[in-house]
Amino acid sequence: MRISEGMTSQGRTIGIVLSAVTIALLAACGIGGDGGRDVRDTIHVETLRVKLRALTTDACHSDPESREPWQCEKYVTQLANAATTIEAAAETGYPRLAEPGRRMTAAVAAYRDAGCAQQNAAEKQECVTALNDLAEAVTSAEQLLGS
């Protein structure tokens, strides 16, 4: 059985969008070149908006209580990567993103430190709290970006 056979149409669409956004984000961030460039030259804000918007459609964002914490590992990993980009943007051209970036990073760490990626996570409520904190930080970043 192919992986895509077990996925819903909506799941495939989200997966395709997330893959495309990730590729675009990596291309927009570029490596090498002039070390003195402003982040506005290397981080495409619209790409970041699209990525955050796509991730807010995930049930782990909108209703984490309805999911087992381990089911949100991919969502958390995607947001860990976005948090790194947001923090970089805050340091070099978009300072208003500093707080949501720090909150996202802290929520990702709380999720991982509580062992939420394991199917037998001991403290489900800690995991749900971390996911809710992450969702709030994402919403804040999205609003600051003008999504």
Side-chain angles (χ1 to χ4, degrees):
M1 179 168 103
R2 293 187 335 218
I3 293 174
S4 62
E5 289 176 349
M7 298 177 68
T8 65
S9 176
Q10 181 182 16
R12 281 192 299 272
T13 301
I14 290 172
I16 291 168
V17 168
L18 290 176
S19 296
V21 168
T22 300
I23 291 167
L25 184 59
L26 290 172
C29 290
I31 296 177
D34 180 5
R37 289 192 304 175
D38 187 270
V39 75
R40 294 172 195 262
D41 295 332
T42 59
I43 294 177
H44 190 263
V45 175
E46 184 57 31
T47 302
L48 191 52
R49 282 184 189 122
V50 169
K51 180 172 186 141
L52 292 177
R53 197 174 310 124
L55 288 167
T56 62
T57 65
D58 193 301
C60 293
H61 176 86
S62 60
D63 189 17
E65 293 87 2
S66 71
R67 308 291 302 238
E68 288 300 319
W70 62 268
Q71 294 174 314
C72 296
E73 174 58 22
K74 184 175 181 177
Y75 164 80
V76 172
T77 299
Q78 290 288 324
L79 284 171
N81 295 334
T84 300
T85 303
I86 288 170
E87 287 183 324
E91 292 173 7
T92 55
Y94 298 91
R96 65 183 189 248
L97 293 174
E99 182 59 26
R102 281 192 294 271
R103 289 178 26 219
M104 287 171 70
T105 298
V108 167
Y111 175 90
R112 291 178 175 164
D113 291 347
C116 301
Q118 305 301 319
Q119 286 191 3
N120 57 354
E123 293 297 326
K124 182 175 179 178
Q125 189 52 48
E126 285 181 41
C127 300
V128 170
T129 298
L131 290 168
N132 280 322
D133 291 348
L134 188 53
E136 289 172 12
V138 168
T139 299
S140 178
E142 194 176 26
Q143 289 171 346
L144 288 169
L145 285 168
S147 298

